[in-house]
Amino acid sequence: LGTVPDYRVLTASEPAELQSLASGLSGLDVFLFSGRFATAEGKAMREQLRREFPGLEAVQIDGASPSKVAAWLGELASARAAAVPAGVPVVLGDYELREKRRSLPRTDTFRAVQRAVNREVVLERLKPEFAADEGAVRDFRALVRARAAVDCPVIAAVYEVQERDGAVFYTRELVNGRSLAEIRAAGQRIPAVNALQVLHGAADALGWLGSRRIPRESFTPAHVFHGEDGTVRVANLAA
């Protein structure tokens, strides 16, 4: 499957490894699993993945030949329609929602385009059922303020927060490249000189947050991104 240009294949050998990997993914389309993930723990994890990644296909493939799996994936890819689900406005303010990538308990995340400047961004929106909840809105605004105050060249930037048409959302930089967790799960390595750049970038980001005593979320390999051009970016972890 890894030889097919359209596929980005990641692997995990245990449920705990899968959970760590999934925490840093912006999207997941298909989960192919063996009997090791058919346990009660594996079933609970599949349900969690389905909640976080809308439209996820989960299929047990023990005994299926690689060619059969590849053929099924090809049929699935052909059959999939537009990624933004029904009921979600295609346009929100100046942003055109292109693809729903993740759903968390209180927020939905989309890949979007800011039409005025034709810039791809990540748009994270408070779910409609929480838009009238004063506490949820207050917490969401506080999180956005904390992340918008981060001004470190290595850390992904927050662009703006808006309240339009009853929706509360903010946009942030769309980070190019793959996280260290994704690179590891793909069974790949990066050259030593790039690994040194990654260490410097991660240290700069954590040092910047620490020197300013900014609270942050837990830091994992899923939050460090290595671009094809060698650039290093760190997810905005301000909390």
Side-chain angles (χ1 to χ4, degrees), residues 35 50 52 54-55 58 70 75 79 88 100 113 117 128-129 133-134 149 161 170 175 179 189 196 208 221-222:
R50 288 191 179 100
E52 293 189 10
E75 294 172 0
V88 175
K100 186 175 183 180
V113 172
V117 292
E129 57 265 36
D133 184 327
E134 293 184 3
V161 59
Y170 78 101
V175 177
S179 72
R189 297 177 180 271
L196 187 60
W208 192 95

Side-chain angles (χ1 to χ4, degrees), residues 41-107:
E41 182 183 10
K43 182 178 179 181
M45 181 160 292
R46 291 197 299 278
E47 292 305 315
Q48 177 183 336
L49 290 173
R50 288 191 179 100
R51 289 192 297 270
E52 293 189 10
F53 302 104
L56 175 71
E57 297 276 356
V59 180
Q60 186 169 349
I61 58 169
D62 293 88
S65 67
S67 59
K68 182 176 180 180
V69 174
W72 175 76
L73 287 173
E75 294 172 0
L76 178 65
S78 300
R80 299 194 79 143
V84 177
V88 175
V90 175
V91 175
L92 193 57
D94 188 37
Y95 297 93
E96 181 180 339
L97 306 185
R98 293 288 178 84
E99 189 175 16
K100 186 175 183 180
R101 298 307 293 158
R102 188 159 194 166
S103 182
L104 294 176
R106 287 194 173 189
T107 63

